[in-house]
């Protein structure tokens, strides 16, 4: 490829339609039709229906947990978990996460305290975290990023030493294993997202896992809007039910999980082989796990070495219909309303700010073929090769 072959400068995009990030695995139409015919025949749409109950049972078995409580999405799941764990005051979490992690605390009337990350793994920096614990902190929210893990054993030790609760935003980590144990049973609770962009897909959905019967009873009492299923007192109730339609899609997705995970890994390895040869790109691998879902392909761009900034690279790829994304941008501490405390947070989050400025997610999942990976990497390689010319043409436009 020459510089003039880039769509950014008027050439035809290399992909005829957008190649998205996001898993987006769909079951075959026949399976989808059969599952929905069942719902139609039973005339039962919602409220602990048979598919809902089957999915909870299958998830308990798959994840090896006592309770798997289905919810409308992970955001609501995190909000409910904060209440069910009886949190108060401050909760420590990384700022390098989706804004929902922090928003769940704000909804529960808690103060998020943002902690920096390890620059290599993007997971929470455990030494920095230890320094943030004081008497007002009631919990740590670990976030298992990028199909990797934030070290639940070290966090559990720290939480226990300080007498605070520990739970996890595991939106990215369905099906991943730490030391051979599936993520889901660590801490007091873990919350998964079953959004369409995730490997376990309910179109929209989520699940809270816990091995604590009391926490589970409180969660089940909070979940419906019309009162408690289990007679335990709770602060307030929500409506976070999962419908039969969502459960039907999730059941098919769970069945397909091994094949979809394997497909992700194949694509990941293909990216890895190509990108290793391109200077200035560092793969942020899913670390801390013995098995990853390979749900994300994340790189850090060193603009000096690569020749283009992360934003120039994403712009160039988007023109080719490769919808690379700069997750997470900006860091949550820079989002409303947390930016109001920027003078307090900014100085202690240098690795977060750096990751926000340099990270890029390349497409991986159902809508990406091995051939597409080859072509995407060819574009990225050519972008590096012609970086100087691209920069100078870009500056003139
Ligand atoms: N914690 C963490 C660490 C999270 O990452 C998230 C969510 C949460 C908590 C909260 O989980 P949920 O409450 O959502 O269950 C996506 C997802 O909406 C969100 O679930 C996810 N993380 C976040 C990181 O990304 P967007 O705004 O980037 O998605 P969107 O709509 O731009 O879709 C991505 C690409 O996929 C686009 O190119 C369009 C394409 N697409 C998307 C959907 C949904 C399709 O082609 N078909 C589709 O059905 O948020």
């Amino acid at each position: 490829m020459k510089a003039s072959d880039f769509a950014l400068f008027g050439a035809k995009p290399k992909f005829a339609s957008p190649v998205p990030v996001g898993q987006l695995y769909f079951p075959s139409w026949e399976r989808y039709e059969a599952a929905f015919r069942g719902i139609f025949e039973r005339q039962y749409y919602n409220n602990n229906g048979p598919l809902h109950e089957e999915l909870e049972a299958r998830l308990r078995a798959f994840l090896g947990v006592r309770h798997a409580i289905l919810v409308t999405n992970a955001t609501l799941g995190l909000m409910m978990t904060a209440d069910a764990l009886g949190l108060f005051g401050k909760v420590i979490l990384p700022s390098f996460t989706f804004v929902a992690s922090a928003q769940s605390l704000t909804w529960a009337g808690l103060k998020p305290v943002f902690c920096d990350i390890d620059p290599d793994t993007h997971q929470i920096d455990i030494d920095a975290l230890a320094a943030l614990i004081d008497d007002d902190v009631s919990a740590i929210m670990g976030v298992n990023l990028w199909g990797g893990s934030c070290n639940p054993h070290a966090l559990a030790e720290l939480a226990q030493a300080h007498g605070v609760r520990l739970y996890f935003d595991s939106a990215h980590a369905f099906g991943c294993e730490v030391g051979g144990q599936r993520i889901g049973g660590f801490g007091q609770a873990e919350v998964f997202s079953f959004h369409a962009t995730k490997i376990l897909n309910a179109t929209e959905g989520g699940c809270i896992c816990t091995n604590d019967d009391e926490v589970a009873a409180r969660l089940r009492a909070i979940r419906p809007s019309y009162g408690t299923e289990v007679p335990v007192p709770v602060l307030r109730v929500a409506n976070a039910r999962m419908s039969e339609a969502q459960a039907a899609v999730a059941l098919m997705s769970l069945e397909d999980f091994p094949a979809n995970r394997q497909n992700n890994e194949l694509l990941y390895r293909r990216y890895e082989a190509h990108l290793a040869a391109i200077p200035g790109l560092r793969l942020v691998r899913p670390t801390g796990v013995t098995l990853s879902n390979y749900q994300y392909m994340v790189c850090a761009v060193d603009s000096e070495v690569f020749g283009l900034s992360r934003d120039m690279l994403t712009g160039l790829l988007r023109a080719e219909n490769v919808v690379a994304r700069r997750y997470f941008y900006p860091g949550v501490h820079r989002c409303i309303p947390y930016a109001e405390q920027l003078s307090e947070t900014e100085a202690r989050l240098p690795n977060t700010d750096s990751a926000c400025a340099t990270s890029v997610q390349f497409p991986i999942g159902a809508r990406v073929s091995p051939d597409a990976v080859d072509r995407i990497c060819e574009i990225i390689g050519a972008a590096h090769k012609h970086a100087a010319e691209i920069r100078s043409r870009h500056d003139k436009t």
Side-chain angles (χ1 to χ4, degrees):
M1 266 177 87
K2 307 186 292 298
S4 54
D5 292 337
F6 287 102
L8 193 64
F9 304 125
K12 198 169 143 212
K14 303 295 168 294
F15 290 87
S17 57
V19 186
V21 298
Q23 294 283 280
L24 307 172
Y25 285 103
F26 276 62
S28 70
W29 175 251
E30 290 71 27
R31 289 168 73 207
Y32 190 86
E33 195 180 22
F36 277 73
R37 182 171 296 121
I39 297 174
F40 188 85
E41 283 165 3
R42 285 187 295 276
Q43 302 271 294
Y44 200 98
Y45 279 131
N46 207 345
N47 295 5
N48 303 351
L51 298 179
H52 177 282
E53 297 303 281
E54 185 185 341
L55 180 59
E56 283 201 349
R58 282 185 190 253
L59 287 169
R60 282 196 301 271
F62 181 83
L63 298 166
V65 293
R66 282 180 64 77
H67 304 277
I69 297 159
L70 295 173
V71 285
T72 316
N73 55 51
T75 305
L76 275 162
L78 288 164
M79 288 158 60
M80 291 165 57
T81 304
D83 264 16
L85 292 178
L87 305 187
F88 56 87
K90 304 195 285 190
V91 175
I92 306 176
L93 79 165
S95 171
F96 193 63
T97 180
F98 194 52
V99 71
S101 316
Q103 281 291 340
S104 69
L105 300 173
T106 304
W107 271 98
L110 300 161
K111 180 174 163 43
V113 175
F114 296 114
C115 181
D116 211 4
I117 52 165
D118 178 305
D120 295 329
T121 63
H122 286 182
Q123 308 291 349
I124 198 162
D125 176 339
I126 294 179
D127 292 334
L129 196 163
L132 290 171
I133 302 179
D134 63 25
D135 290 347
D136 297 332
V137 170
S138 64
I140 297 166
M141 183 202 292
V143 179
N144 290 309
L145 274 192
W146 308 148
S149 129
C150 59
N151 195 345
H153 298 301
L155 289 179
E157 225 173 88
L158 196 64
Q160 201 178 7
H162 291 272
V164 300
R165 310 212 93 183
L166 171 66
Y167 68 116
F168 294 90
D169 175 341
S170 296
H172 291 188
F174 186 84
C176 301
E177 295 177 11
V178 175
Q181 184 185 337
R182 284 219 166 97
I183 284 180
F186 294 104
Q188 270 85 52
E190 299 208 42
V191 181
F192 293 107
S193 169
F194 296 164
H195 184 253
T197 52
K198 305 293 190 289
I199 192 160
L200 201 290
N201 168 11
T203 68
E204 174 84 8
C207 176
I208 311 167
C209 295
T210 181
N211 289 316
D212 183 321
D213 295 348
E214 279 180 35
V215 172
R218 282 199 286 276
L219 287 166
R220 289 189 189 284
I222 296 169
R223 181 174 56 182
S225 56
Y226 48 79
T228 57
E229 291 167 331
V230 184
V232 292
V234 290
L235 195 62
R236 54 196 160 200
V237 295
N239 176 0
R241 294 185 291 255
M242 179 183 277
S243 73
E244 287 290 275
Q246 289 169 290
V249 174
L251 278 166
M252 291 183 273
S253 186
L254 185 59
E255 226 171 270
D256 296 344
F257 172 80
N260 295 345
R261 196 209 69 82
Q262 204 175 6
N263 185 54
N264 282 350
E265 182 166 3
L266 188 137
L267 297 171
Y268 193 96
R269 300 283 174 225
R270 207 161 175 117
Y271 266 116
E272 207 171 26
H274 287 301
L275 298 181
I278 304 176
L281 289 185
R282 176 178 65 82
L283 260 70
V284 183
R285 292 188 169 79
T287 47
V289 287
T290 41
L291 187 86
S292 176
N293 54 26
Y294 292 101
Q295 188 172 274
Y296 296 104
M297 162 45 66
V298 182
C299 274
V301 181
D302 179 337
S303 53
E304 293 294 312
V305 181
F306 183 73
L308 300 177
S309 68
R310 184 274 311 270
D311 289 353
M312 282 189 79
L313 175 62
T314 32
L316 183 126
L317 287 169
R318 275 169 174 259
E320 306 293 351
N321 265 332
V322 177
V323 194
R325 298 286 282 266
R326 48 183 193 175
Y327 291 113
F328 298 101
Y329 184 85
V332 179
H333 62 292
R334 292 184 183 277
C335 296
I336 292 168
Y338 312 113
E340 283 166 19
Q341 270 98 50
L342 201 56
S343 57
E344 182 196 311
T345 53
E346 191 175 33
R348 67 162 190 267
L349 299 170
N351 298 331
T352 301
D353 277 333
S354 165
C356 294
T358 58
S359 303
V360 55
Q361 236 185 68
F362 298 128
I364 190 163
R367 302 256 284 271
V368 188
S369 64
D371 174 62
V373 171
D374 296 348
R375 290 161 64 208
I376 291 168
C377 292
E378 196 190 329
I379 300 168
I380 298 169
H384 165 65
K385 193 168 159 206
H386 301 292
E389 195 179 342
I390 292 168
R391 275 199 321 270
S392 103
R393 277 179 177 239
H394 188 262
D395 289 347
K396 284 182 202 144
T397 55

